[in-house]
Amino acid sequence: MPTCLVTGGAGFLGSHLCDELIARGHRVICVDNLETGSLVNIEHIRDPDRFVHLNIDIIEPYYVDEPVDFVYHLASPASPIDYLRLPLHTLKVGSYGTHHTLGLAKAHRARFLIASTSEVYGDPHVHPQPESYWGHVNPIGPRGVYDEAKRYAEALTMAYHRQQGVDTAIIRIFNTYGARMRPHDGRAIPTFLRQALANRPITVFGDGSQTRSFCYVSDLIRGMIALSESGYHDPVNVGNPDEFTLLELAKAVLEVTGSQSEIVFEALPIDDPKQRRPEIALARDLLGWSPQVALIDGLRRTIESAGVETLVG
Ligand code: NAD
């Protein structure tokens, strides 16, 4: 039975990854200090032979004294509300935390995958964004702590691969949604669902013409595991290329919830990208991967699996 170490395993994506790895017959070591995650996300996993949670802050050096085959490095604040509240922590987890986790993968000769982000592309001067686009990021704006931490973590990952021979992979994740997102984490889908289900006004930033592409969590996790098991080293985009304006997203949320909420407009955040859509030809060719869940179906599944009470928060 392969052993997988998942940093950030008590978070939104990490907990879904733990579930899927266990379902596929793997043993999972979840490393998470619960900074933005929660035991609630993993309390349903009751198999001590196959799952263990270690409350470790990966900013400090750490080691695991048993064989590890795969390391999935997801620990990092991920929503704007979190990384704006935790700017230094975000930089440290991307730098020290990634160093320590790469060192652990090296010591165990494990395959290492880092969860990077579409935010490494910054302002989308190229649209849709292919992996070859180097990006246009503001290093000193408030979002820079997240974007630059991820860019540094990618550089570090390639250095460990080239200089130290670590078997590494980089997944560039585009906006992903599903159950276990926190209702108040500031991201568009949990915010709109919370507001619509409580019949409160839906708050769209700017005029709502900025676009995003939303990937359902089960599609993302399937792509992440496929990449980890592929042996490929360069970055790979994983996301859903169907592109929606934020206003279209708000209307889709009204449709699936049957809510009567009105849509209101608020100021656009600083350095908010105007467009976001992945070019996924590489993931298709390399991994045979493509998303299967359309936005309306994914929103319905999110409501069913999370439950209205949890989403309203
Ligand atoms: P999340 O906040 O739900 O999960 C992050 C987890 O990391 C949390 O459980 C948190 O407690 C843990 N963590 C943070 N700092 C830690 C530390 N110092 N030591 C140990 N654990 C720590 O976020 P998420 O949405 O699940 O994102 C997971 C990863 O995927 C992140 O690296 C994020 O940048 C990346 N990502 C997510 C999305 C998305 O749409 N959800 C998009 C792009 C990239």
Side-chain angles (χ1 to χ4, degrees):
M1 182 186 340
T3 296
C4 305
L5 184 143
V6 180
T7 74
F12 161 51
L13 293 181
S15 62
H16 284 280
L17 175 64
C18 292
D19 284 344
E20 183 61 24
L21 290 170
I22 290 169
R24 293 184 185 205
H26 297 228
R27 178 173 141 70
V28 173
I29 302 169
C30 163
V31 170
D32 198 306
N33 72 344
L34 308 177
E35 181 70 58
T36 58
S38 168
L39 290 177
V40 172
N41 291 337
I42 50 173
E43 67 185 359
H44 60 281
I45 312 177
R46 295 180 188 277
D47 186 347
D49 293 335
R50 305 267 300 282
F51 181 80
V52 59
H53 167 237
L54 305 177
N55 192 326
I56 290 173
D57 181 348
I58 64 162
I59 288 173
E60 303 300 328
Y62 71 105
Y63 190 70
V64 172
D65 197 13
E66 63 174 296
V68 173
D69 304 289
F70 294 91
V71 173
Y72 290 87
H73 178 38
L74 276 67
S76 167
S79 84
I81 278 192
D82 290 329
Y83 60 72
L84 295 176
R85 177 175 61 87
L86 301 164
L88 287 174
H89 176 91
T90 303
L91 286 162
K92 286 179 188 171
V93 84
S95 53
Y96 302 125
T98 303
H99 260 297
H100 298 146
T101 309
L102 274 158
L104 186 143
K106 182 185 171 201
H108 287 280
R109 296 178 189 278
R111 168 85 166 156
F112 171 94
L113 173 142
I114 184 161
S116 185
T117 170
S118 57
E119 300 302 331
V120 300
Y121 298 122
D123 202 17
H125 286 212
V126 175
H127 190 74
Q129 291 84 57
E131 290 83 352
S132 55
Y133 175 47
W134 292 350
H136 188 264
V137 169
N138 175 3
I140 56 163
R143 304 173 71 108
V145 295
Y146 181 67
D147 304 357
E148 297 294 9
K150 290 290 184 182
R151 289 170 67 93
Y152 175 87
E154 286 198 9
L156 192 62
T157 299
M158 291 311 291
Y160 267 84
H161 172 60
R162 294 194 181 106
Q163 190 186 320
Q164 309 273 318
V166 180
D167 183 7
T168 59
I170 298 172
I171 179 171
R172 289 190 180 148
I173 302 171
F174 284 65
N175 289 27
T176 300
Y177 68 99
R180 302 183 198 152
M181 297 186 88
R182 285 164 295 142
H184 291 274
D185 88 353
R187 291 185 265 199
I189 287 186
T191 304
F192 289 1
L193 282 174
R194 170 171 56 80
Q195 293 168 331
L197 290 167
N199 279 312
R200 298 228 168 85
I202 294 191
T203 49
V204 170
F205 293 144
D207 62 3
S209 63
Q210 69 276 33
T211 66
R212 292 292 182 274
S213 306
F214 302 101
C215 187
Y216 188 62
V217 63
S218 60
D219 281 331
L220 188 280
I221 297 298
R222 199 166 37 81
M224 184 183 284
I225 295 175
L227 177 58
S228 172
E229 295 179 349
S230 71
Y232 192 74
H233 302 300
D234 286 342
V236 179
N237 288 340
V238 177
N240 191 319
D242 292 345
E243 190 177 357
F244 297 87
T245 67
L246 266 286
L247 201 50
E248 287 169 334
L249 172 68
K251 288 178 181 163
V253 167
L254 288 177
E255 184 186 329
V256 295
T257 55
S259 168
Q260 300 299 315
S261 294
E262 60 170 333
I263 296 174
V264 298
F265 298 91
E266 289 191 347
L268 209 54
I270 297 173
D271 295 334
D272 196 48
K274 301 280 173 295
Q275 292 173 303
R276 185 64 84 217
R277 176 175 153 208
E279 168 58 65
I280 61 162
L282 180 60
R284 277 188 214 276
D285 294 347
L286 180 74
L287 311 172
W289 178 88
S290 56
Q292 290 170 357
V293 183
L295 179 65
I296 288 285
D297 298 329
L299 290 173
R300 290 208 173 94
R301 285 196 206 182
T302 302
I303 297 169
E304 273 164 30
S305 50
V308 170
E309 263 179 41
T310 313
L311 290 168
V312 172

